[in-house]
Amino acid sequence: MNSNDKKDLERPQNACGRPGPERGEVAWLEHKIVLQMNHIMKIYSNGVVANEDVSIELNKGEIHALLGENGAGKSTLMKVLFGIESPDEGQILLNGQETVIRSPQDAISKGIGMVHQHFMLVPSLTVAENIILGVEPKKGGLFIDMDKAVQEAEKIAGKYNFDIDVRAKVEEIPVGIKQKVEILKALYRGADILILDEPTAVLTPQETDELFVQLEKLRDNGHTLIFISHKLDEIKRICDRATIMRSGRSMGTYEVEDISTEEMSRLMVGREVILTFDKKPAEPSAVYMKVRNLSVRNGQGVLKVDDLSFDLRGGEILGIAGVEGNGQSELIDSLTGLNKSYRGNIWMKDTDIEKCSIKDIRELKVAHIPEDRMTSGCAGNLNILENLFSNQYTDPAYSGKMLLKTKKIQERSAELIKEYLVKCKSFRQNVGMLSGGNIQKVIVAREFSTGPDIIIANQPTRGVDVGAAEFIRKRLLQFRDAGCAVLLVSADLNEVFSLSDRLAVMYKGKFSGMFTDVAAVTEEELGQYMLGLKHQEEQEGVIYE
């Protein structure tokens, strides 16, 4: 701790537990603190208290982590800051002046930008067109001046040392560059305060390193960054301070260097969280899934899965890592019956699924946790009970000859809500009203409660807090130990490393690498395979003949 820090600690404490100004030190406050959110209260129309007396302050030129369980209130707090939601109580001070933020456009005009977890880019447009979208330079007052747009995009990219070809189409650039384009969009609109929602969720280790260099430069140039993430090791690595939330309330703001990841987890969840697993050796059995010479094209005719062959056995977890867009989604859609336009063969427990319906595949005891929980994982306008039993209505345990066994379904719904720690009022609550992490728990509860022999888990813990992620990962290991075959697709390298018995890397529709000794592989090495910088010519352990 330096001398300035010691002086700060001697100051009176404000609502956030941080040093407040002494008398006559208003100038210090205005220079040091750029944003204060004081005593924010937000209660939704369904009675859910999302934020209860939450206070947070941001210093100029810092990277400030905001972390908490799904449903802890951090997303709502950021929606209030970005003008998507209006607080029921509380105040926002921007550079010492009280302000009201009525909309995202209002927030942008006040120097607040947001980079969403799911990119808000138009794939068919160029990088330059995306950057200037909505604030286009005009020629003659009517037409877009594209030459000026390119100049402006190159100027903003050069100012922040972002090495980007602004003439490239967004659909043709890597995920890591798309992340930078999103940041440049916000900076071009004058953002001094930048909210980053899970910015590394889909990046390789190398792309994460590059992003962190850029974020540190932004911080050093006086920008203030709010870093929302569930990756505690990344928070330790790049953030200066962290505000931790639980159940809609702030658990305090901490200097990151002074708090361990274990303590962060405990404050978030309210109990000790196991961040590593003692996994017993796998005991693989028969081949449960066999894929041979699988090729899949997307809707535009682009080859996404290229002559892929592999086996999956009971009692093992095969992890698949890779930068998104390298064929993982097309592979999973083919395996689960969502896409029938493929060449090659897929067998599930000795059954060729080419002519099988999704229901037929399900009846082979195949469970599927989809990549996108909102579009294909749940029906947001239906309640929790209806979502939990959407794939089990014909089960004799819950369906009679004429009518459903309503009481039994309700009892089982209540049991699953309790077992999977879903935060809700009751099973009658609409799924769309839950937080993202609790929606994921409903999906996982539905899939795991069917007693599967094969689990296809695509990003099972994406956007899920450490407590829920721990719970889901434990369950996957329990199913594996019980003889279930698990195919795990994940962008979280910690997850694939900790759970996988074998680990494959997808690059341009093929396996660029397959590792049977997962413990011997480093993140750096895996990242090279993910980026196509390395490739195994021969891969052991892909097929069992």
Side-chain angles (χ1 to χ4, degrees):
M1 183 180 292
N2 60 37
S3 58
N4 289 334
D5 290 334
K6 291 178 180 177
K7 289 178 182 177
D8 286 351
L9 291 176
E10 293 169 359
R11 301 177 188 274
Q13 302 291 300
N14 65 14
C16 297
R18 296 287 299 155
E22 294 175 357
R23 190 172 296 175
E25 289 192 296
V26 176
W28 172 84
L29 177 62
E30 291 180 346
H31 171 74
K32 184 78 172 176
I33 300 174
V34 293
L35 175 78
Q36 289 173 281
M37 300 181 74
N38 295 330
H39 309 294
I40 300 297
M41 179 75 77
K42 177 63 184 179
I43 304 174
Y44 285 112
S45 57
N46 62 356
V48 173
V49 181
N51 291 152
E52 184 178 356
D53 193 30
V54 177
S55 295
I56 184 175
E57 64 183 32
L58 305 177
N59 294 338
K60 182 177 177 64
E62 76 164 338
I63 302 177
H64 193 114
L66 182 62
L67 60 155
E69 286 191 282
N70 290 100
K74 57 188 186 300
S75 294
T76 297
L77 189 67
M78 291 300 98
K79 286 178 181 178
V80 168
L81 178 57
F82 198 56
I84 298 172
E85 298 284 357
S86 298
D88 296 308
E89 294 180 19
Q91 64 172 185
I92 299 174
L93 277 70
L94 193 60
N95 295 312
Q97 301 296 316
E98 186 169 358
T99 187
V100 177
I101 302 173
R102 295 181 172 84
S103 67
Q105 292 74 22
D106 193 17
I108 291 167
S109 71
K110 291 177 166 64
I112 301 169
M114 187 168 185
V115 177
H116 299 270
Q117 180 178 350
H118 300 289
F119 300 148
M120 312 291 282
L121 300 173
V122 182
S124 60
L125 299 183
T126 66
V127 168
E129 290 167 335
N130 272 277
I131 289 174
I132 56 90
L133 191 63
V135 286
E136 301 91 346
K138 298 295 177 63
K139 185 187 295 184
L142 293 174
F143 303 102
I144 298 174
D145 188 339
M146 287 310 305
D147 290 337
K148 184 70 178 297
V150 170
Q151 292 174 9
E152 291 288 333
E154 288 178 336
K155 182 179 177 182
I156 191 78
K159 177 180 178 181
Y160 292 102
N161 298 311
F162 280 44
D163 184 14
I164 296 176
D165 178 6
V166 301
R167 293 177 176 83
K169 283 194 173 182
V170 163
E171 62 190 3
E172 298 170 351
I173 62 177
V175 174
I177 302 298
K178 290 177 185 177
Q179 182 72 267
K180 294 178 182 179
V181 175
E182 285 280 21
I183 293 172
L184 286 177
K185 272 178 57 181
L187 294 173
Y188 182 71
R189 288 156 178 74
D192 291 317
I193 298 170
L194 196 57
I195 305 165
L196 301 167
D197 188 5
E198 298 283 352
T200 67
V202 296
L203 302 186
T204 66
Q206 288 83 353
E207 289 170 330
T208 297
D209 290 342
E210 291 176 14
L211 176 65
F212 283 0
V213 169
Q214 303 295 344
L215 297 185
E216 287 169 343
K217 286 179 181 177
L218 290 174
R219 175 188 62 191
D220 295 343
N221 286 331
H223 289 277
T224 299
L225 309 178
I226 303 174
F227 189 89
I228 304 172
S229 179
H230 293 114
K231 299 181 179 180
L232 302 185
D233 55 336
E234 291 184 355
I235 288 172
K236 288 288 290 183
R237 178 177 163 192
I238 194 171
C239 296
D240 302 298
R241 293 189 300 145
T243 295
I244 301 172
M245 296 188 66
R246 186 168 82 221
S247 301
R249 300 179 67 90
S250 171
M251 305 306 293
T253 297
Y254 303 84
E255 298 290 338
V256 169
E257 65 180 5
D258 295 335
I259 186 170
S260 66
T261 54
E262 290 78 12
E263 181 65 9
M264 287 183 192
S265 300
R266 189 187 65 76
L267 287 165
M268 287 167 57
V269 181
R271 60 176 174 80
E272 297 298 327
V273 177
I274 300 172
L275 300 177
T276 58
F277 297 98
D278 291 326
K279 187 175 65 172
K280 67 181 186 181
E283 297 179 2
S285 59
V287 173
Y288 277 20
M289 180 192 298
K290 184 187 294 185
V291 177
R292 292 294 181 271
N293 308 113
L294 182 68
S295 294
V296 187
R297 295 182 182 273
N298 64 12
Q300 291 73 45
V302 178
L303 185 64
K304 301 299 290 184
V305 180
D306 186 4
D307 196 30
L308 198 65
S309 297
F310 67 93
D311 290 338
L312 175 65
R313 296 186 294 182
E316 71 166 345
I317 297 177
L318 171 59
I320 297 180
V323 176
E324 287 195 11
N326 277 279
Q328 300 96 316
S329 296
E330 289 78 9
L331 170 63
I332 298 303
D333 285 351
S334 300
L335 296 177
T336 55
L338 293 170
N339 176 24
K340 290 296 185 180
S341 301
Y342 63 81
R343 287 190 296 107
N345 298 99
I346 303 169
W347 289 272
M348 299 283 184
K349 296 164 62 178
D350 298 324
T351 298
D352 190 330
I353 67 167
E354 182 182 7
K355 296 181 180 180
C356 291
S357 66
I358 294 174
K359 184 174 182 291
D360 292 335
I361 295 171
R362 289 279 190 174
E363 288 179 351
L364 294 171
K365 291 196 170 183
V366 177
H368 175 211
I369 301 172
E371 176 182 17
D372 190 326
R373 52 179 165 250
M374 295 310 299
T375 58
S376 53
C378 73
N381 61 332
L382 298 182
N383 65 35
I384 295 172
L385 179 148
E386 291 164 330
N387 274 274
L388 283 172
F389 283 86
S390 59
N391 61 345
Q392 299 179 59
Y393 278 124
T394 58
D395 188 330
Y398 305 110
S399 178
K401 292 181 179 180
M402 297 290 292
L403 299 172
L404 293 173
K405 299 177 182 178
T406 305
K407 185 176 180 181
K408 198 161 189 177
I409 290 175
Q410 290 177 347
E411 289 174 349
R412 182 59 177 149
S413 295
E415 289 173 0
L416 289 172
I417 287 169
K418 184 177 180 180
E419 182 180 352
Y420 285 83
L421 308 174
V422 180
K423 292 182 179 177
C424 62
K425 285 189 169 182
S426 77
F427 53 71
R428 293 183 178 86
Q429 186 174 348
N430 271 20
V431 161
M433 296 302 295
L434 304 179
S435 69
N438 282 297
I439 293 172
Q440 189 74 355
K441 290 178 185 177
V442 171
I443 295 167
V444 170
R446 179 187 68 216
E447 298 304 315
F448 287 0
S449 64
T450 59
D453 288 334
I454 300 171
I455 296 174
I456 299 172
N458 195 354
Q459 313 295 349
T461 63
R462 171 171 290 171
V464 169
D465 57 78
V466 291
E470 175 203 25
F471 182 85
I472 293 170
R473 290 165 184 164
K474 276 185 175 180
R475 283 300 170 98
L476 287 173
L477 285 174
Q478 288 170 359
F479 275 104
R480 170 258 209 187
D481 292 344
C484 189
V486 180
L487 184 68
L488 170 67
V489 178
S490 180
D492 187 329
L493 297 190
N494 288 331
E495 182 165 85
V496 291
F497 274 125
S498 62
L499 296 182
S500 301
D501 301 302
R502 291 185 296 140
L503 177 56
V505 180
M506 279 195 80
Y507 178 72
K508 292 187 175 179
K510 290 181 176 290
F511 286 157
S512 59
M514 171 67 80
F515 308 94
T516 54
D517 186 1
V518 178
V521 188
T522 66
E523 282 198 13
E524 181 71 22
E525 182 182 7
L526 200 69
Q528 291 177 334
Y529 283 97
M530 292 168 70
L531 293 169
L533 302 176
K534 293 182 74 172
H535 193 283
Q536 291 177 356
E537 293 302 324
E538 295 184 5
Q539 299 161 10
E540 296 182 1
V542 179
I543 298 172
Y544 300 103
E545 295 291 3

